Protein backbone atom coordinates (compact mmCIF):
# COMPACT_ATOMS: atom_id res chain seq x y z
CA UNK A 1 0.00 0.00 0.00
CA UNK A 2 2.79 2.42 0.84
CA UNK A 3 4.39 1.88 -2.57
CA UNK A 4 1.17 3.00 -4.26
CA UNK A 5 1.14 6.25 -2.28
CA UNK A 6 4.87 6.76 -2.91
CA UNK A 7 4.22 6.36 -6.63
CA UNK A 8 1.27 8.79 -6.45
CA UNK A 9 3.47 11.32 -4.62
CA UNK A 10 6.13 11.00 -7.33
CA UNK A 11 3.59 11.40 -10.13
CA UNK A 12 2.08 14.50 -8.47
CA UNK A 13 5.58 15.97 -7.94
CA UNK A 14 6.42 15.41 -11.61
CA UNK A 15 3.11 17.01 -12.66
CA UNK A 16 3.84 19.95 -10.34
CA UNK A 17 7.18 20.46 -12.08
CA UNK A 18 5.52 20.34 -15.51
CA UNK A 19 2.91 22.89 -14.40
CA UNK A 20 5.65 25.14 -13.02
CA UNK A 21 7.55 24.97 -16.34
CA UNK A 22 4.30 25.71 -18.19
CA UNK A 23 3.72 28.82 -16.06
CA UNK A 24 7.30 30.03 -16.67
CA UNK A 25 6.94 29.45 -20.43
CA UNK A 26 3.91 31.76 -20.52
CA UNK A 27 6.23 34.60 -19.49
CA UNK A 28 8.60 33.99 -22.42
CA UNK A 29 7.37 35.34 -25.78
CA UNK A 30 6.61 32.59 -28.33
CA UNK A 31 7.82 29.79 -25.99
CA UNK A 32 4.27 28.49 -25.66
CA UNK A 33 4.12 27.94 -29.42
CA UNK A 34 7.04 25.51 -29.54
CA UNK A 35 6.25 21.80 -29.71
CA UNK A 36 7.27 21.38 -26.05
CA UNK A 37 5.17 24.41 -25.10
CA UNK A 38 2.12 22.98 -26.90
CA UNK A 39 2.66 19.61 -25.20
CA UNK A 40 2.80 21.28 -21.77
CA UNK A 41 -0.25 23.34 -22.63
CA UNK A 42 -2.27 20.23 -23.49
CA UNK A 43 -1.16 18.44 -20.31
CA UNK A 44 -1.23 21.31 -17.77
CA UNK A 45 -3.79 23.86 -18.95
CA UNK A 46 -6.89 21.76 -18.14
CA UNK A 47 -5.74 21.66 -14.50
CA UNK A 48 -4.46 25.25 -14.33
CA UNK A 49 -7.68 26.55 -15.91
CA UNK A 50 -9.64 25.22 -12.91
CA UNK A 51 -8.04 27.99 -10.83
CA UNK A 52 -8.14 30.86 -13.32
CA UNK A 53 -10.75 33.51 -12.71
CA UNK A 54 -10.83 33.16 -8.92
CA UNK A 55 -11.42 36.81 -8.02
CA UNK A 56 -9.71 36.93 -4.63
CA UNK A 57 -6.50 35.72 -6.32
CA UNK A 58 -6.51 38.59 -8.81
CA UNK A 59 -4.80 41.76 -7.71
CA UNK A 60 -5.41 44.14 -10.61
CA UNK A 61 -2.78 43.17 -13.21
CA UNK A 62 -1.39 40.34 -11.06
CA UNK A 63 -3.03 36.92 -11.08
CA UNK A 64 -2.00 34.51 -8.30
CA UNK A 65 -4.30 31.66 -9.37
CA UNK A 66 -1.38 29.61 -10.71
CA UNK A 67 0.21 29.80 -7.25
CA UNK A 68 -2.90 28.22 -5.72
CA UNK A 69 -2.80 25.48 -8.36
CA UNK A 70 0.82 24.68 -7.48
CA UNK A 71 0.11 24.78 -3.73
CA UNK A 72 -2.72 22.26 -4.14
CA UNK A 73 -0.32 19.93 -5.96
CA UNK A 74 2.36 20.41 -3.27
CA UNK A 75 -0.26 19.55 -0.67
CA UNK A 76 -1.34 16.40 -2.47
CA UNK A 77 2.26 15.26 -2.85
CA UNK A 78 2.95 15.88 0.86
CA UNK A 79 -0.26 14.04 1.79
CA UNK A 80 0.63 11.01 -0.32
CA UNK A 81 4.18 10.99 1.10
CA UNK A 82 2.79 11.14 4.63
CA UNK A 83 0.41 8.24 4.02
CA UNK A 84 3.22 6.21 2.43
CA UNK A 85 5.54 6.86 5.39
CA UNK A 86 3.11 6.67 8.31
CA UNK A 87 0.72 4.05 6.85
CA UNK A 88 -2.19 6.09 8.20
CA UNK A 89 -3.90 9.46 7.97
CA UNK A 90 -5.03 11.41 11.03
CA UNK A 91 -7.63 14.16 10.83
CA UNK A 92 -5.44 16.49 12.93
CA UNK A 93 -2.57 16.09 10.48
CA UNK A 94 -4.84 16.70 7.49
CA UNK A 95 -6.34 19.90 8.95
CA UNK A 96 -2.88 21.13 10.01
CA UNK A 97 -1.51 20.48 6.50
CA UNK A 98 -4.41 22.37 4.87
CA UNK A 99 -3.94 25.27 7.29
CA UNK A 100 -0.19 25.42 6.58
CA UNK A 101 -0.71 25.28 2.81
CA UNK A 102 -3.30 28.05 2.89
CA UNK A 103 -1.00 30.18 5.03
CA UNK A 104 1.92 29.52 2.65
CA UNK A 105 -0.23 30.71 -0.24
CA UNK A 106 -1.31 33.87 1.61
CA UNK A 107 2.23 34.47 2.84
CA UNK A 108 3.67 34.05 -0.67
CA UNK A 109 1.17 36.52 -2.11
CA UNK A 110 1.99 39.00 0.68
CA UNK A 111 5.72 38.57 -0.02
CA UNK A 112 5.22 39.36 -3.71
CA UNK A 113 3.13 42.43 -2.81
CA UNK A 114 5.73 43.60 -0.23
CA UNK A 115 8.49 43.29 -2.83
CA UNK A 116 6.40 45.18 -5.39
CA UNK A 117 5.64 47.96 -2.89
CA UNK A 118 9.30 48.15 -1.81
CA UNK A 119 10.45 48.44 -5.43
CA UNK A 120 7.84 51.13 -6.04
CA UNK A 121 8.97 53.04 -2.95
CA UNK A 122 12.62 52.76 -4.02
CA UNK A 123 11.78 54.07 -7.52
CA UNK A 124 9.72 56.88 -5.99
CA UNK A 125 12.59 57.93 -3.72
CA UNK A 126 15.29 57.72 -6.40
CA UNK A 127 13.51 58.76 -9.60
CA UNK A 128 11.42 61.91 -9.90
CA UNK A 129 10.07 60.86 -13.34
CA UNK A 130 8.29 57.82 -11.96
CA UNK A 131 4.98 59.74 -12.00
CA UNK A 132 5.06 60.08 -15.79
CA UNK A 133 1.68 59.30 -17.32
CA UNK A 134 1.61 56.17 -19.43
CA UNK A 135 4.71 54.72 -17.82
CA UNK A 136 4.97 51.30 -16.28
CA UNK A 137 4.78 52.93 -12.87
CA UNK A 138 1.42 54.54 -13.53
CA UNK A 139 0.06 51.05 -14.30
CA UNK A 140 1.64 49.70 -11.11
CA UNK A 141 0.22 52.65 -9.16
CA UNK A 142 -3.26 51.99 -10.51
CA UNK A 143 -2.94 48.40 -9.26
CA UNK A 144 -1.62 49.14 -5.79
CA UNK A 145 -3.42 52.40 -4.93
CA UNK A 146 -6.65 50.80 -3.66
CA UNK A 147 -4.69 48.49 -1.36
CA UNK A 148 -2.20 50.98 0.04
CA UNK A 149 -4.69 53.77 0.63
CA UNK A 150 -7.17 51.38 2.30
CA UNK A 151 -4.41 50.14 4.63
CA UNK A 152 -3.04 53.60 5.38
CA UNK A 153 -6.50 55.05 6.08
CA UNK A 154 -6.86 52.54 8.93
CA UNK A 155 -3.84 54.13 10.63
CA UNK A 156 -4.52 57.75 9.76
CA UNK A 157 -8.09 57.86 10.99
CA UNK A 158 -9.40 58.34 7.46
CA UNK A 159 -7.25 61.43 6.84
CA UNK A 160 -5.54 61.62 3.45
CA UNK A 161 -1.87 60.66 3.40
CA UNK A 162 0.81 61.06 0.75
CA UNK A 163 1.56 58.24 -1.69
CA UNK A 164 5.00 57.73 -0.14
CA UNK A 165 3.60 57.52 3.38
CA UNK A 166 0.87 55.13 2.23
CA UNK A 167 3.55 52.89 0.69
CA UNK A 168 5.60 52.86 3.90
CA UNK A 169 2.57 52.15 6.10
CA UNK A 170 1.47 49.32 3.79
CA UNK A 171 4.91 47.70 3.71
CA UNK A 172 5.22 47.80 7.50
CA UNK A 173 1.66 46.52 7.97
CA UNK A 174 2.14 43.60 5.57
CA UNK A 175 5.47 42.64 7.18
CA UNK A 176 3.82 42.68 10.62
CA UNK A 177 0.86 40.61 9.38
CA UNK A 178 3.27 38.15 7.77
CA UNK A 179 5.29 37.58 10.97
CA UNK A 180 2.26 37.53 13.28
CA UNK A 181 0.36 35.21 10.95
CA UNK A 182 3.31 32.79 10.75
CA UNK A 183 3.49 32.67 14.54
CA UNK A 184 -0.25 32.07 15.01
CA UNK A 185 -0.48 29.48 12.22
CA UNK A 186 2.55 27.65 13.62
CA UNK A 187 0.91 27.40 17.06
CA UNK A 188 -2.38 26.22 15.55
CA UNK A 189 -0.67 23.64 13.31
CA UNK A 190 1.31 22.22 16.25
CA UNK A 191 -1.87 21.96 18.30
CA UNK A 192 -3.64 20.17 15.45
CA UNK A 193 -0.70 17.76 14.98
CA UNK A 194 -0.96 16.85 18.67
CA UNK A 195 -4.58 15.77 18.33
CA UNK A 196 -4.91 12.01 18.92
CA UNK A 197 -7.31 11.52 16.01
Amino acid sequence: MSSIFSLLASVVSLYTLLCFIRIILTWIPNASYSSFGRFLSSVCDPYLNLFRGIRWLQFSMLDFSSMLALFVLFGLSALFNHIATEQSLRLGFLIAKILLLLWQLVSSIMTVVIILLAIRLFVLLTNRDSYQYGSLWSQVDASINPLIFKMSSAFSGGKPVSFKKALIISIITLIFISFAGSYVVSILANALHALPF
Side-chain angles (χ1 to χ4, degrees), residues 7-25 36 39-40 43-45 47-48 51 65-81 101 104:
L7 177 65
L8 283 172
S10 299
V11 168
V12 171
S13 294
L14 176 63
Y15 190 68
T16 304
L17 177 64
L18 292 176
C19 287
F20 179 74
I21 294 169
R22 169 65 181 142
I23 291 165
I24 297 299
L25 285 181
F36 181 65
F39 166 74
L40 284 180
V43 170
C44 300
D45 282 0
Y47 172 73
L48 293 173
F51 297 88
S65 60
S66 56
M67 285 178 72
L68 177 60
L70 292 177
F71 275 98
V72 168
L73 290 174
F74 287 137
L76 279 176
S77 178
L79 180 66
F80 291 146
N81 272 324
L101 282 172
Q104 286 175 342

Side-chain angles (χ1 to χ4, degrees), residues 64-191:
F64 294 101
S65 60
S66 56
M67 285 178 72
L68 177 60
L70 292 177
F71 275 98
V72 168
L73 290 174
F74 287 137
L76 279 176
S77 178
L79 180 66
F80 291 146
N81 272 324
H82 176 77
I83 294 171
T85 306
E86 299 294 322
Q87 302 287 322
S88 67
L89 178 63
R90 292 184 359 260
L91 181 63
F93 169 82
L94 184 61
I95 295 170
K97 199 51 123 169
I98 291 170
L99 177 67
L100 287 170
L101 282 172
L102 288 174
W103 175 249
Q104 286 175 342
L105 175 65
V106 170
S107 180
S108 298
I109 291 171
M110 280 196 298
T111 301
V112 169
V113 172
I114 289 167
I115 291 169
L116 178 65
L117 296 179
I119 291 170
R120 182 61 184 108
L121 180 62
F122 176 77
V123 169
L124 181 66
L125 295 173
T126 59
N127 186 359
R128 299 268 183 220
D129 295 332
S130 64
Y131 281 117
Q132 234 178 336
Y133 180 77
S135 71
L136 168 69
W137 296 116
S138 62
Q139 293 176 14
V140 170
D141 292 349
S143 298
I144 64 175
N145 278 350
L147 173 71
I148 66 169
F149 285 112
K150 191 176 288 185
M151 267 196 242
S152 62
S153 69
F155 292 98
S156 67
K159 297 176 187 172
V161 295
S162 69
F163 182 65
K164 180 170 63 171
K165 190 173 183 180
L167 280 170
I168 293 168
I169 290 170
S170 298
I171 291 169
I172 293 169
T173 303
L174 288 172
I175 289 172
F176 175 77
I177 291 170
S178 180
F179 282 112
S182 293
Y183 180 72
V184 170
V185 167
S186 173
I187 290 172
L188 286 172
N190 288 335

